[in-house]
Each structure stands twice: as C-alpha cells, then as structure tokens.
Amino acid sequence: MEIAIQYFKEVWEILLEASPYVLFGFFVAGLLKGFLPADFVARHLGNNKKGAVVKASMFGVPLPLCSCGVIPAAAGLRQQGASKGATTSFMISTPETGVDSIAITYALLDPIMTIVRPVAAFISALTAGTLVDAFPEKPKQGKVAFTPLNFAPTTLKKEEACTSGCCSSKPAGKTFKDKFTVGMQFAFGELVADIGKWLLIGILIAAVVSTFLPVTFFQDYVGDGLLSMILMVFIGVPMYVCATASTPIAAALALKGLSPGGALVFLLAGPATNAATITVVAQTLGKRVAFIYVTSIAVTSVILGLAVNWVYAKLGLSVFAWINDVETHQHGFVAYAATIILLFLVGRQFVGRSGHQHSESCGCH
C-alpha cells in the first residue's frame, strides 16, 4: 500500500509540474495552426528547391505534429516535388520536438536542455537529409500516391482517411477571430486527442521509474558515458513515444543517474523512430533512405549526447540537481488549476466519443 501511495504521489507531482507548460505549449501550437498559412511549408519545400533540407529541418522544429501525422504530411511534400532529403529531414525534426515539447522540457528538465533539444533536432534532421540527397537511389515504380491537399493516402477508403488533428487541413478563415478560434479548437481538441493519452502514459511510466528504480541505478549498472547512450538508442528507436510524452520519462531517468547526454539521446531517438515509421519510410522513400534515416539518428544523437555531457561538465552544471530542486518546491494555484484542466481535456476524449479511434486510423500505435 505504501508503494502504491508513493507511486500515485509521483504521478501527481509530475502532473503538477508539467501541466501549466503543456497547456502553454498547446496554446502556442494553436496559434501556429490558426495563423500560419496551410500551404506555408509546402510552398518552401516543394519542387526540390535549393536549401530545402535546411528549411525542412528548421520548419519541423516548432510544428506540433505527432509521429502519426508527420508521415502523411511528409508524403504530401514528396508528392509536391520535395527531395527525399528534405522529406526525410522534415520527418525527423518534426516529431523530435515542437512548441509543446519545448515547453514541457523547461518544466521537467532544465533551461540548457530546453535550448539544446530543438537545436539537436535541427542538426540530426539536417544530417540525415543531407546524407539522403548525397546517396540517391533510383526511384521505383508503383509507389503509393498521396494527395497534397489533405496529406492522406489516396488508396485509403474515405472512412479510413486520416482525420486526426495531426493531419487536419481545416481552413482557419480570414478574420483574426476565425483564425484564433480554429487554432484553439485544434490545440485543445484535436491535438489533445492525438497526444494526450500518450502524455499520460509517459507520465505513468516516469512515475514507475521514479518509484521503483534505485537512485544510483545508472552509476551502479550502466555508467553515464557512451554505454548509457547506446542503451538509450536501443530503447528509443523501436519505441513509440511522442516528443511530449518522452520528456517525463527522460526526466525520471535523469533522476536515477542518467547523464544529460543520455537523456538527450532518448529525447531524439524515441520520438523520431518506431517500428511503424521505419516500415513506412522504407516503403515510400526506399530501403536505402530508411537505413540512412535510422543510422543517422542513432549516430548523430550519440555524438550530440557526448557533446552535451561535455558542455554540462565545462559549465559545472547538473541536470539532476536542477530537476531535484524543481521537485522540492511548492506548487501554487496555477499548477493545480492547470492539472485539473489538462486531466479534463484528456479525459473527455474517452467519454462519449471515439477519440482514440481516429488516431489509430492515422497510424498511431
């Protein structure tokens, strides 16, 4: 009973710390949805334009697309003429981070990691895209066609087409009120439906780590160097976890002795890859691209992880100390109110509607 009580205390503490920042992230994501032109990314990345890999890596960083939504969106870019490299870059930087995950990174990790995470996502995406274009393969016939307007596979039946927020193409209207309304409906409706469940799962897993894993686990059994990062690669690559949900898990692992670099490896490799995504990449872009896709993420994340460890050591900083200090401070009214609102928004997706089914139709697992 004491262990169960401790576990639910950990869940509640993580919710209190994360909820205000998650809601803020959703709000900013809604602004992007409402006020960013629907064809903005496609106009800059279509037709194999010069510098498209750089733009694709950059555009993907703030976008609040989950890993289920980035696949049809990237396929739509490819249909409009984007190179395989630009498409690959977009598929990596987009799920690795976003405005919502950046906000929760500040809440659960530290300011350094908040800056490093999007920069690392850009570098890993840029590296993969550049390598893909540097080692092209002959295009194969018989690929599945994708419509560029709604980013849904044309081979899907109408009732099977992607309808979740990550793939939504609902027009935002012309007036400020219309755009704001559409953006907020997307953020606190469709986007919550897409990642809310996974966020709670991530928090539940993080609480398991906090409750049952010894404080010195990584120092005693793995170490804080290269071995721990390789372990994070093997855990993160096949695992389905979105950028927001991966953050509380990484924070819990850091409290058990995982180095900042190891945490970064998990934050990059986990959201960017999973078994389903790798399969789709191989089918739509080719096996060579899929190999470069996975290998570049693994290698780049480890190199960046080593660099992050060096930075923390040079600055004399400790992510463990920061997270531990955050957990010990008292939460105010805003934290409690935000937690209740977030639980309500996520909970209503499971009451009186089949919110989880439309995510599955988009390829979420």
Side-chain angles (χ1 to χ4, degrees):
M1 180 61 69
E2 291 182 1
I3 294 177
I5 293 174
Q6 178 62 30
Y7 172 75
F8 285 108
K9 282 184 177 179
E10 291 290 344
V11 172
W12 185 245
E13 282 297 317
I14 297 173
L15 279 170
L16 287 174
E17 191 61 44
S19 294
Y21 296 91
V22 172
L23 293 180
F24 175 75
F26 283 155
F27 175 76
V28 177
L31 295 180
L32 288 176
K33 175 67 177 180
F35 293 93
L36 193 69
D39 63 341
F40 178 82
V41 174
R43 282 191 285 109
H44 285 270
L45 301 185
N47 301 320
N48 197 13
K49 295 181 178 179
K50 186 177 181 180
V53 170
V54 177
K55 289 183 178 180
S57 303
M58 187 180 301
F59 290 164
V61 169
L63 294 183
L65 282 179
C66 58
S67 57
C68 73
V70 73
I71 295 174
L77 294 177
R78 178 69 177 149
Q79 174 72 9
Q80 295 194 26
S83 69
K84 286 187 177 183
T87 304
T88 302
S89 295
F90 186 78
M91 290 186 68
I92 292 176
S93 65
T94 302
E96 279 187 340
T97 187
V99 289
D100 50 338
S101 60
I102 292 172
I104 196 175
T105 301
Y106 181 81
L108 298 181
L109 289 168
D110 67 1
I112 300 295
M113 194 65 72
T114 304
I115 298 172
V116 166
R117 185 176 187 177
V119 172
F122 172 80
I123 293 173
S124 63
L126 180 63
T127 301
T130 302
L131 289 174
V132 167
D133 280 346
F135 299 97
E137 62 180 348
K138 294 181 180 180
K140 297 181 180 180
Q141 300 297 325
K143 294 294 182 183
V144 177
F146 289 82
T147 57
L149 294 179
N150 59 12
F151 303 131
T154 57
T155 56
L156 291 180
K157 296 178 181 179
K158 184 176 181 180
E159 64 272 15
E160 294 175 339
C162 176
T163 58
S164 72
C166 57
C167 312
S168 175
S169 59
K170 182 178 179 181
K174 295 182 178 180
T175 68
F176 177 90
K177 181 180 179 181
D178 290 340
K179 293 179 179 179
F180 184 81
T181 300
V182 169
M184 293 305 105
Q185 288 175 344
F186 163 77
F188 296 103
E190 298 171 0
L191 187 57
V192 172
D194 287 329
I195 72 172
K197 178 179 70 174
W198 300 108
L199 173 61
L200 292 185
I201 290 174
I203 290 175
L204 293 175
I205 294 174
V208 169
V209 173
S210 298
T211 304
F212 297 101
L213 215 62
V215 176
T216 58
F217 175 80
F218 282 94
Q219 288 93 332
D220 294 343
Y221 300 101
V222 183
D224 58 359
L226 182 61
L227 180 59
S228 65
M229 298 180 195
I230 294 176
L231 178 62
M232 289 300 104
V233 169
F234 279 99
I235 293 175
V237 166
M239 185 179 182
Y240 180 88
V241 58
C242 67
T244 302
S246 68
T247 311
I249 300 175
L253 292 173
L255 280 176
K256 302 304 178 179
L258 181 64
S259 66
L264 179 65
V265 171
F266 180 76
L267 291 174
L268 295 176
T273 61
N274 60 68
T277 303
I278 295 170
T279 302
V280 172
V281 171
Q283 291 176 343
T284 57
L285 298 179
K287 293 181 180 179
R288 180 180 298 183
V289 174
F291 175 78
I292 296 175
Y293 173 82
V294 176
T295 304
S296 62
I297 290 174
V299 175
T300 305
S301 63
V302 169
I303 293 174
L304 291 171
L306 292 171
V308 165
N309 276 353
W310 181 83
V311 170
Y312 272 82
K314 282 294 183 181
L315 296 178
L317 299 175
S318 170
V319 68
F320 172 87
W322 180 277
I323 299 172
N324 198 48
D325 289 343
V326 167
E327 287 202 341
T328 57
H329 84 274
Q330 296 295 320
H331 300 287
F333 170 78
V334 173
Y336 286 95
T339 299
I340 294 172
I341 293 172
L342 179 62
L343 290 175
F344 169 76
L345 291 172
V346 175
R348 72 175 183 174
Q349 306 301 327
F350 301 96
V351 180
R353 58 181 297 183
S354 55
H356 63 288
Q357 294 178 352
H358 75 277
S359 290
E360 293 174 354
S361 70
C362 195
C364 295
H365 300 279

